[in-house]
Amino acid sequence: MAYAEKVYKVRNGKQTKQFTWRSRYKRPDGKWDSEPGFPTKKTAEDWGDAQEAAIREGRWVDPQLARKKFGVFTEEWMKAQAPRGRTTMNRRERLEAHILPKWEHTPLIGINWFEVEAWARGLTCAHSTTKDAVGLMSRILNGAVDARHLAVNPLFGRRLTGLPAATEGVRKSADEDMWAPPEVVLQLARRMGPVNGLMIVTTAFAGLRYEEAVGLQKSRTLLTRRQQYDGGTFTCPVIRVDGKDGVLAEYYVYDDDKKRKIFRGLEPPKTKQSKRDIDLPPFLADLLEKHLAGMQGDFVFTAAKGGWWWRSTWCEVLRPAADGREARPKARGTANKEAWEPIMPGLDMRALRHSHDTYQAQLNVHPVLAHEQAGHKYPGIKGTYQHPTPEMRKQRLEGLQRLYERALGNLGWESIWE
């Protein structure tokens, strides 16, 4: 049974008559433990009795673990996780840039919603980043509950709303508010040439993610979809995104000393919905067929020297093509470059993927098919009960073909590349 004992204060090496009370209680392993700092004997005894009752009922939390610093437990939690590498990188960036500067040395038991909400309202990053940071803190504290460091997560179920208008002024990135009309896509593709430009056209008219396009292999291109339809068989060429090596991942990894290095390699698609066959309109299937006939290697879209594109290197190719550039005369070691007028400043690969989904909406593609082709989960019970039909697929492909042909006509072109 718990009991209390006096703890006399010491001043200048001598014991004084002033004292507080220390609670003594038995831990689950039968050893005695203590907790100091109580003002009266009864409060110390009551606290110790509460610990022993919690131990008997299997809900006890070690006070020493509850006082563990948030930063220390965060490292334990991060090592216990096994998400995709890019998810780990994103979490580490949120921790280092926003969370740990404020909370690293705070005891787990010292974190409460009032102070977290006040801290979040003071951040000057985008609202989405703020909410991501608070959500990550909540997941870590859920881990602390599961590890029996805390009895409850003080952030669980709390919703961060009404963030100050100061962060509303953070400008959206180009990929959040931009899409490209088909004419722009074709102009950009012509400027970038038949190889790099084909990656632009494929992204806009097939909706590939950047990592899916860069990791696209020849063996998964121009396969055939077959479905029963109208007394016969509906067929169309597809790009397949699946398997353990379906996408090219590029992200930072951290060693035990927290040193950062870059990882690049093939990984499975992130979600079940991302594993899909993307139907190709006739013009795009024809362009890809001609490209595959003349290419070498296993990957459809590669850098000039044949390897995978680095994101930064691809941006060096895409940015001047979309944003424009000044003329540069020929000089030693450099070729002559003509001036380019801007086509659509800020256009990037995600904006091109947005463009594809925008085209689908314009063409009234059935939502269940539009979600499937984009690699998204169709929400609600309809996502379970409804399925794309050949008729839906035909309507989508015919619509995309019309968009392409109309864009060519509006530009006065017979083909993308002369």
Side-chain angles (χ1 to χ4, degrees), residues 325-344:
R325 72 181 183 196
E326 296 181 354
R328 187 180 71 184
K330 183 176 181 180
R332 184 175 182 180
T334 61
N336 177 59
K337 288 187 176 180
E338 62 178 322
W340 281 346
E341 292 295 323
I343 293 178
M344 182 173 280

Side-chain angles (χ1 to χ4, degrees), residues 206 276 353 356-357 359-361 364-378 388 392-393 396:
R276 65 200 190 280
R353 179 168 152 80
H356 174 259
D357 218 29
Y359 299 162
Q360 292 195 120
N364 294 318
V365 176
H366 194 286
V368 72
L369 176 58
H371 279 69
E372 179 210 76
Q373 293 292 283
H376 294 154
K377 181 179 180 180
Y378 189 55
M392 296 178 191
R393 298 187 188 280
R396 172 181 173 273

